[in-house]
Amino acid sequence: MNSLSRRAVLGAALALPALGTARAQAWAPSRPIRIVVPFGPGGVADLTARAVAQRISERLGQPAVIDNRPGAGGIVAGQQVMAAPADGHTLLVASNGTAISKALFRQLPFDPIADFAPVVTMGAFPIAVLVAPNSPDRDIAGLLARLRANPGKLNIGSITAGSTQNLSAELFKIRSATQFETIAFPATPALTTALIRGDVDAAFEITGPIMGQIQAGALRVLAVTSGTRAQNLPNVPTLTEAGVPDYDAASWNALMARTGTPPEAIAAINAAVNEALGSADLRATLTEVGVEPRGGTAQAMGELLRADTARWTEVIEKAGIPRQ
């Protein structure tokens, strides 16, 4: 899927649909809804899930409880949901990592597309291309010129091999036809320290955890990787605008249920989440932590998952990343 068609998918996810009231109210939870998060507490996906959970519990009349199950690239969380009844009372927080896992792991205990039903996209996380304040690169054109003048000699960092940020750097290599070493760090603080110290020449990282450093001038943003400009960095160009053709990548999270969950349950949860994401105060809360609220139809969420699965499969194969 090219950048234009992927933006159309994300555009569909942005529209907060007015689902039929009768259909949305045809199902109501009979006990608390469990939302399984494949990350530990405190991250942007966890914060997004908690903020949305509070609102949908008010709408649906039952508590929505967060269950953090990090580990094994989301496999632990997925298995928890697969072990629960397909009745709408157990949901999985899926992410761009869900799309990556299908491409990265040789054997998964479940198929993220076949075994789960899309419910709704919740948020997107812009990824920034960063340099240190003293970098000679003032824009993407400068970085590209240096990369092409020094093939294979520069380093670009990210967190965790196989993460969206890491694969976004690999996609940059493919789309820009440049050569550089990608270096993965265990966490954001190690990455930003290495960048400021000069151990890497540039870095790819989501904006939420580093906005303070960007605003303080400790990091400089050259571009964002998404197809449209980031809400929290409106004056920063996209990579496509900066001259890298057909580049469009972003991290996101969403809710999914087990395949076989009644359509009425999916419709009711979708309506509750869209209503929550339509509120100005929740949108402000999410924007503050670097999340761009999304929403949209279950169909748009499924199309996004399939498109990114195809995208990251291509990147992993072209980059020669070993499947695990």
Side-chain angles (χ1 to χ4, degrees):
M1 179 177 287
N2 60 28
S3 294
L4 183 61
S5 57
R6 188 175 186 276
R7 284 198 294 271
V9 171
L10 283 170
L14 274 169
L16 303 182
L19 298 179
T21 304
R23 185 183 178 194
Q25 291 182 349
W27 179 88
S30 59
R31 60 182 186 277
I33 295 174
R34 177 187 174 207
I35 301 177
V36 183
V37 181
F39 307 100
V44 286
D46 176 72
L47 293 172
T48 303
R50 290 179 186 276
V52 170
Q54 180 180 353
R55 298 306 183 87
I56 66 174
S57 66
E58 297 168 0
R59 161 81 182 236
L60 296 176
Q62 287 283 350
V65 180
I66 300 298
D67 183 2
N68 295 98
R69 297 281 180 157
I75 292 175
V76 173
Q79 288 178 312
Q80 290 291 315
V81 177
M82 286 296 296
D87 59 6
H89 291 86
T90 305
L91 304 173
L92 174 67
V93 173
S95 69
N96 194 53
T98 308
I100 292 170
S101 69
K102 186 170 172 59
L104 189 61
F105 293 104
R106 292 184 182 276
Q107 291 185 327
L108 285 172
F110 49 78
D111 185 318
I113 294 176
D115 292 333
F116 292 93
V119 177
V120 64
T121 308
M122 293 189 293
F125 317 113
I127 298 171
V129 185
L130 305 155
V131 294
N134 60 353
S135 169
D137 305 317
R138 309 304 299 182
D139 51 29
I140 289 295
L143 175 60
L144 288 173
R146 265 212 310 152
L147 287 168
R148 288 168 179 153
N150 301 277
K153 295 181 180 179
L154 274 62
N155 300 320
I156 291 185
S158 71
I159 64 162
T160 318
S163 65
T164 304
Q165 296 93 314
N166 179 249
L167 294 183
S168 294
E170 294 289 352
L171 181 61
F172 176 67
K173 184 188 297 183
I174 294 168
R175 295 286 188 263
S176 63
T178 55
Q179 291 298 319
F180 53 83
E181 185 75 20
T182 51
I183 300 178
F185 293 83
T188 301
L191 171 63
T192 54
T193 297
L195 181 60
I196 293 169
R197 196 166 51 203
D199 296 339
V200 293
D201 298 284
F204 281 62
E205 181 55 303
I206 60 174
T207 61
I210 55 172
M211 277 306 297
Q213 290 170 287
I214 292 171
Q215 292 167 347
L219 297 172
R220 188 162 74 242
V221 185
L222 302 184
V224 293
T225 65
S226 47
T228 57
R229 294 194 178 196
Q231 294 176 10
N232 56 359
L233 294 168
N235 296 321
V236 175
T238 68
L239 275 174
T240 298
E241 289 176 325
V244 180
D246 194 27
Y247 194 106
D248 184 3
S251 191
W252 48 267
N253 65 18
L255 291 178
M256 300 181 75
R258 271 190 59 191
T259 295
T261 298
E264 295 80 8
I266 290 174
I269 296 166
N270 178 284
V273 172
N274 275 304
E275 182 180 272
L277 292 173
S279 66
D281 56 341
L282 179 58
R283 295 179 71 85
T285 297
L286 294 178
T287 301
E288 186 177 346
V289 296
V291 179
E292 296 187 354
R294 283 293 187 257
T297 66
Q299 179 182 0
M301 193 258 121
E303 290 172 356
L304 180 60
L305 175 61
R306 288 188 293 272
D308 273 357
T309 297
R311 173 185 303 275
W312 300 124
T313 298
E314 176 193 1
V315 171
I316 287 167
E317 290 175 352
K318 287 187 175 181
I321 298 172
R323 298 187 72 185
Q324 301 175 18

PDB file of all heavy atoms in Angstrom, residues 119-143:
ATOM      1  N   VAL A 119     -11.780  -3.924  16.465  1.00  0.00           N
ATOM      2  CA  VAL A 119     -12.859  -3.189  17.132  1.00  0.00           C
ATOM      3  C   VAL A 119     -12.769  -1.701  16.807  1.00  0.00           C
ATOM      4  O   VAL A 119     -13.700  -1.114  16.263  1.00  0.00           O
ATOM      5  CB  VAL A 119     -12.829  -3.431  18.656  1.00  0.00           C
ATOM      6  CG1 VAL A 119     -13.914  -2.593  19.349  1.00  0.00           C
ATOM      7  CG2 VAL A 119     -13.021  -4.911  18.977  1.00  0.00           C
ATOM      8  N   VAL A 120     -11.623  -1.084  17.142  1.00  0.00           N
ATOM      9  CA  VAL A 120     -11.502   0.355  16.902  1.00  0.00           C
ATOM     10  C   VAL A 120     -10.052   0.781  17.098  1.00  0.00           C
ATOM     11  O   VAL A 120      -9.343   0.248  17.949  1.00  0.00           O
ATOM     12  CB  VAL A 120     -12.431   1.159  17.843  1.00  0.00           C
ATOM     13  CG1 VAL A 120     -12.037   1.002  19.298  1.00  0.00           C
ATOM     14  CG2 VAL A 120     -12.498   2.627  17.446  1.00  0.00           C
ATOM     15  N   THR A 121      -9.601   1.733  16.294  1.00  0.00           N
ATOM     16  CA  THR A 121      -8.301   2.365  16.501  1.00  0.00           C
ATOM     17  C   THR A 121      -8.450   3.422  17.591  1.00  0.00           C
ATOM     18  O   THR A 121      -9.426   4.174  17.598  1.00  0.00           O
ATOM     19  CB  THR A 121      -7.799   3.020  15.206  1.00  0.00           C
ATOM     20  OG1 THR A 121      -7.838   2.059  14.146  1.00  0.00           O
ATOM     21  CG2 THR A 121      -6.374   3.533  15.360  1.00  0.00           C
ATOM     22  N   MET A 122      -7.488   3.488  18.515  1.00  0.00           N
ATOM     23  CA  MET A 122      -7.566   4.479  19.587  1.00  0.00           C
ATOM     24  C   MET A 122      -6.659   5.677  19.344  1.00  0.00           C
ATOM     25  O   MET A 122      -7.086   6.818  19.475  1.00  0.00           O
ATOM     26  CB  MET A 122      -7.226   3.826  20.934  1.00  0.00           C
ATOM     27  CG  MET A 122      -8.256   2.813  21.390  1.00  0.00           C
ATOM     28  SD  MET A 122      -7.985   2.238  23.096  1.00  0.00           S
ATOM     29  CE  MET A 122      -6.433   1.339  22.921  1.00  0.00           C
ATOM     30  N   GLY A 123      -5.380   5.439  19.015  1.00  0.00           N
ATOM     31  CA  GLY A 123      -4.466   6.561  18.863  1.00  0.00           C
ATOM     32  C   GLY A 123      -3.283   6.222  17.987  1.00  0.00           C
ATOM     33  O   GLY A 123      -2.993   5.056  17.720  1.00  0.00           O
ATOM     34  N   ALA A 124      -2.609   7.257  17.516  1.00  0.00           N
ATOM     35  CA  ALA A 124      -1.386   7.112  16.746  1.00  0.00           C
ATOM     36  C   ALA A 124      -0.276   7.888  17.441  1.00  0.00           C
ATOM     37  O   ALA A 124      -0.533   8.885  18.126  1.00  0.00           O
ATOM     38  CB  ALA A 124      -1.575   7.622  15.317  1.00  0.00           C
ATOM     39  N   PHE A 125       0.961   7.416  17.253  1.00  0.00           N
ATOM     40  CA  PHE A 125       2.122   8.024  17.909  1.00  0.00           C
ATOM     41  C   PHE A 125       3.124   8.449  16.843  1.00  0.00           C
ATOM     42  O   PHE A 125       3.776   7.602  16.236  1.00  0.00           O
ATOM     43  CB  PHE A 125       2.780   7.044  18.878  1.00  0.00           C
ATOM     44  CG  PHE A 125       1.790   6.283  19.715  1.00  0.00           C
ATOM     45  CD1 PHE A 125       1.630   4.914  19.552  1.00  0.00           C
ATOM     46  CD2 PHE A 125       1.013   6.913  20.657  1.00  0.00           C
ATOM     47  CE1 PHE A 125       0.722   4.205  20.312  1.00  0.00           C
ATOM     48  CE2 PHE A 125       0.095   6.215  21.418  1.00  0.00           C
ATOM     49  CZ  PHE A 125      -0.050   4.860  21.245  1.00  0.00           C
ATOM     50  N   PRO A 126       3.250   9.731  16.593  1.00  0.00           N
ATOM     51  CA  PRO A 126       4.207  10.173  15.582  1.00  0.00           C
ATOM     52  C   PRO A 126       5.637   9.772  15.947  1.00  0.00           C
ATOM     53  O   PRO A 126       6.019   9.767  17.121  1.00  0.00           O
ATOM     54  CB  PRO A 126       4.052  11.699  15.595  1.00  0.00           C
ATOM     55  CG  PRO A 126       2.728  11.949  16.231  1.00  0.00           C
ATOM     56  CD  PRO A 126       2.525  10.838  17.206  1.00  0.00           C
ATOM     57  N   ILE A 127       6.414   9.432  14.934  1.00  0.00           N
ATOM     58  CA  ILE A 127       7.832   9.118  15.113  1.00  0.00           C
ATOM     59  C   ILE A 127       8.637  10.253  14.497  1.00  0.00           C
ATOM     60  O   ILE A 127       8.360  10.687  13.376  1.00  0.00           O
ATOM     61  CB  ILE A 127       8.198   7.784  14.449  1.00  0.00           C
ATOM     62  CG1 ILE A 127       7.415   6.640  15.107  1.00  0.00           C
ATOM     63  CG2 ILE A 127       9.699   7.509  14.533  1.00  0.00           C
ATOM     64  CD1 ILE A 127       7.542   5.311  14.396  1.00  0.00           C
ATOM     65  N   ALA A 128       9.625  10.734  15.241  1.00  0.00           N
ATOM     66  CA  ALA A 128      10.448  11.848  14.785  1.00  0.00           C
ATOM     67  C   ALA A 128      11.826  11.360  14.360  1.00  0.00           C
ATOM     68  O   ALA A 128      12.368  10.415  14.936  1.00  0.00           O
ATOM     69  CB  ALA A 128      10.596  12.884  15.901  1.00  0.00           C
ATOM     70  N   VAL A 129      12.381  12.019  13.341  1.00  0.00           N
ATOM     71  CA  VAL A 129      13.785  11.827  12.971  1.00  0.00           C
ATOM     72  C   VAL A 129      14.568  12.913  13.699  1.00  0.00           C
ATOM     73  O   VAL A 129      14.342  14.113  13.473  1.00  0.00           O
ATOM     74  CB  VAL A 129      13.989  11.930  11.454  1.00  0.00           C
ATOM     75  CG1 VAL A 129      15.448  11.610  11.105  1.00  0.00           C
ATOM     76  CG2 VAL A 129      13.043  10.992  10.710  1.00  0.00           C
ATOM     77  N   LEU A 130      15.474  12.500  14.560  1.00  0.00           N
ATOM     78  CA  LEU A 130      16.122  13.406  15.500  1.00  0.00           C
ATOM     79  C   LEU A 130      17.628  13.491  15.262  1.00  0.00           C
ATOM     80  O   LEU A 130      18.253  12.514  14.845  1.00  0.00           O
ATOM     81  CB  LEU A 130      15.899  12.926  16.937  1.00  0.00           C
ATOM     82  CG  LEU A 130      14.454  12.715  17.379  1.00  0.00           C
ATOM     83  CD1 LEU A 130      14.396  11.712  18.516  1.00  0.00           C
ATOM     84  CD2 LEU A 130      13.852  14.045  17.795  1.00  0.00           C
ATOM     85  N   VAL A 131      18.186  14.646  15.586  1.00  0.00           N
ATOM     86  CA  VAL A 131      19.634  14.806  15.657  1.00  0.00           C
ATOM     87  C   VAL A 131      19.957  15.603  16.921  1.00  0.00           C
ATOM     88  O   VAL A 131      19.075  16.197  17.544  1.00  0.00           O
ATOM     89  CB  VAL A 131      20.208  15.525  14.414  1.00  0.00           C
ATOM     90  CG1 VAL A 131      20.029  14.671  13.165  1.00  0.00           C
ATOM     91  CG2 VAL A 131      19.580  16.900  14.230  1.00  0.00           C
ATOM     92  N   ALA A 132      21.228  15.617  17.279  1.00  0.00           N
ATOM     93  CA  ALA A 132      21.672  16.410  18.422  1.00  0.00           C
ATOM     94  C   ALA A 132      21.725  17.887  18.035  1.00  0.00           C
ATOM     95  O   ALA A 132      21.815  18.223  16.842  1.00  0.00           O
ATOM     96  CB  ALA A 132      23.048  15.937  18.870  1.00  0.00           C
ATOM     97  N   PRO A 133      21.671  18.796  19.014  1.00  0.00           N
ATOM     98  CA  PRO A 133      21.684  20.234  18.695  1.00  0.00           C
ATOM     99  C   PRO A 133      22.920  20.673  17.917  1.00  0.00           C
ATOM    100  O   PRO A 133      22.851  21.610  17.123  1.00  0.00           O
ATOM    101  CB  PRO A 133      21.642  20.895  20.081  1.00  0.00           C
ATOM    102  CG  PRO A 133      21.072  19.868  20.988  1.00  0.00           C
ATOM    103  CD  PRO A 133      21.514  18.538  20.457  1.00  0.00           C
ATOM    104  N   ASN A 134      24.052  19.985  18.147  1.00  0.00           N
ATOM    105  CA  ASN A 134      25.282  20.381  17.454  1.00  0.00           C
ATOM    106  C   ASN A 134      25.510  19.620  16.157  1.00  0.00           C
ATOM    107  O   ASN A 134      26.583  19.685  15.565  1.00  0.00           O
ATOM    108  CB  ASN A 134      26.486  20.195  18.375  1.00  0.00           C
ATOM    109  CG  ASN A 134      26.656  18.739  18.817  1.00  0.00           C
ATOM    110  OD1 ASN A 134      25.800  17.892  18.542  1.00  0.00           O
ATOM    111  ND2 ASN A 134      27.756  18.442  19.496  1.00  0.00           N
ATOM    112  N   SER A 135      24.518  18.886  15.692  1.00  0.00           N
ATOM    113  CA  SER A 135      24.652  18.138  14.443  1.00  0.00           C
ATOM    114  C   SER A 135      24.812  19.086  13.258  1.00  0.00           C
ATOM    115  O   SER A 135      24.184  20.146  13.221  1.00  0.00           O
ATOM    116  CB  SER A 135      23.417  17.263  14.223  1.00  0.00           C
ATOM    117  OG  SER A 135      23.404  16.720  12.910  1.00  0.00           O
ATOM    118  N   PRO A 136      25.617  18.708  12.279  1.00  0.00           N
ATOM    119  CA  PRO A 136      25.726  19.540  11.071  1.00  0.00           C
ATOM    120  C   PRO A 136      24.475  19.476  10.187  1.00  0.00           C
ATOM    121  O   PRO A 136      24.325  20.286   9.270  1.00  0.00           O
ATOM    122  CB  PRO A 136      26.931  18.938  10.342  1.00  0.00           C
ATOM    123  CG  PRO A 136      26.977  17.510  10.792  1.00  0.00           C
ATOM    124  CD  PRO A 136      26.513  17.542  12.226  1.00  0.00           C
ATOM    125  N   ASP A 137      23.587  18.518  10.477  1.00  0.00           N
ATOM    126  CA  ASP A 137      22.393  18.340   9.652  1.00  0.00           C
ATOM    127  C   ASP A 137      21.283  19.259  10.152  1.00  0.00           C
ATOM    128  O   ASP A 137      20.754  19.070  11.248  1.00  0.00           O
ATOM    129  CB  ASP A 137      21.928  16.883   9.699  1.00  0.00           C
ATOM    130  CG  ASP A 137      23.032  15.927   9.290  1.00  0.00           C
ATOM    131  OD1 ASP A 137      23.738  16.228   8.315  1.00  0.00           O
ATOM    132  OD2 ASP A 137      23.203  14.896   9.966  1.00  0.00           O
ATOM    133  N   ARG A 138      20.910  20.225   9.308  1.00  0.00           N
ATOM    134  CA  ARG A 138      19.857  21.163   9.674  1.00  0.00           C
ATOM    135  C   ARG A 138      18.500  20.726   9.152  1.00  0.00           C
ATOM    136  O   ARG A 138      17.474  21.233   9.575  1.00  0.00           O
ATOM    137  CB  ARG A 138      20.175  22.564   9.128  1.00  0.00           C
ATOM    138  CG  ARG A 138      21.558  23.076   9.446  1.00  0.00           C
ATOM    139  CD  ARG A 138      21.869  23.082  10.924  1.00  0.00           C
ATOM    140  NE  ARG A 138      20.972  23.943  11.683  1.00  0.00           N
ATOM    141  CZ  ARG A 138      21.064  24.158  12.999  1.00  0.00           C
ATOM    142  NH1 ARG A 138      21.999  23.529  13.705  1.00  0.00           N
ATOM    143  NH2 ARG A 138      20.209  24.950  13.604  1.00  0.00           N
ATOM    144  N   ASP A 139      18.507  19.781   8.220  1.00  0.00           N
ATOM    145  CA  ASP A 139      17.265  19.279   7.647  1.00  0.00           C
ATOM    146  C   ASP A 139      17.527  17.907   7.045  1.00  0.00           C
ATOM    147  O   ASP A 139      18.658  17.411   7.061  1.00  0.00           O
ATOM    148  CB  ASP A 139      16.710  20.247   6.596  1.00  0.00           C
ATOM    149  CG  ASP A 139      17.758  20.655   5.556  1.00  0.00           C
ATOM    150  OD1 ASP A 139      18.682  19.849   5.285  1.00  0.00           O
ATOM    151  OD2 ASP A 139      17.647  21.761   4.999  1.00  0.00           O
ATOM    152  N   ILE A 140      16.480  17.274   6.525  1.00  0.00           N
ATOM    153  CA  ILE A 140      16.626  15.939   5.953  1.00  0.00           C
ATOM    154  C   ILE A 140      17.544  15.963   4.736  1.00  0.00           C
ATOM    155  O   ILE A 140      18.322  15.025   4.504  1.00  0.00           O
ATOM    156  CB  ILE A 140      15.249  15.356   5.585  1.00  0.00           C
ATOM    157  CG1 ILE A 140      14.471  15.005   6.867  1.00  0.00           C
ATOM    158  CG2 ILE A 140      15.388  14.105   4.719  1.00  0.00           C
ATOM    159  CD1 ILE A 140      15.098  13.897   7.712  1.00  0.00           C
ATOM    160  N   ALA A 141      17.496  17.031   3.950  1.00  0.00           N
ATOM    161  CA  ALA A 141      18.382  17.126   2.787  1.00  0.00           C
ATOM    162  C   ALA A 141      19.839  17.056   3.216  1.00  0.00           C
ATOM    163  O   ALA A 141      20.667  16.396   2.556  1.00  0.00           O
ATOM    164  CB  ALA A 141      18.105  18.421   2.027  1.00  0.00           C
ATOM    165  N   GLY A 142      20.163  17.710   4.327  1.00  0.00           N
ATOM    166  CA  GLY A 142      21.532  17.663   4.825  1.00  0.00           C
ATOM    167  C   GLY A 142      21.924  16.275   5.298  1.00  0.00           C
ATOM    168  O   GLY A 142      23.044  15.807   5.038  1.00  0.00           O
ATOM    169  N   LEU A 143      21.002  15.611   6.005  1.00  0.00           N
ATOM    170  CA  LEU A 143      21.283  14.247   6.474  1.00  0.00           C
ATOM    171  C   LEU A 143      21.469  13.310   5.285  1.00  0.00           C
ATOM    172  O   LEU A 143      22.398  12.485   5.268  1.00  0.00           O
ATOM    173  CB  LEU A 143      20.151  13.765   7.370  1.00  0.00           C
ATOM    174  CG  LEU A 143      20.234  12.314   7.856  1.00  0.00           C
ATOM    175  CD1 LEU A 143      21.503  12.077   8.674  1.00  0.00           C
ATOM    176  CD2 LEU A 143      18.995  11.948   8.679  1.00  0.00           C
TER     177      LEU A 143
END
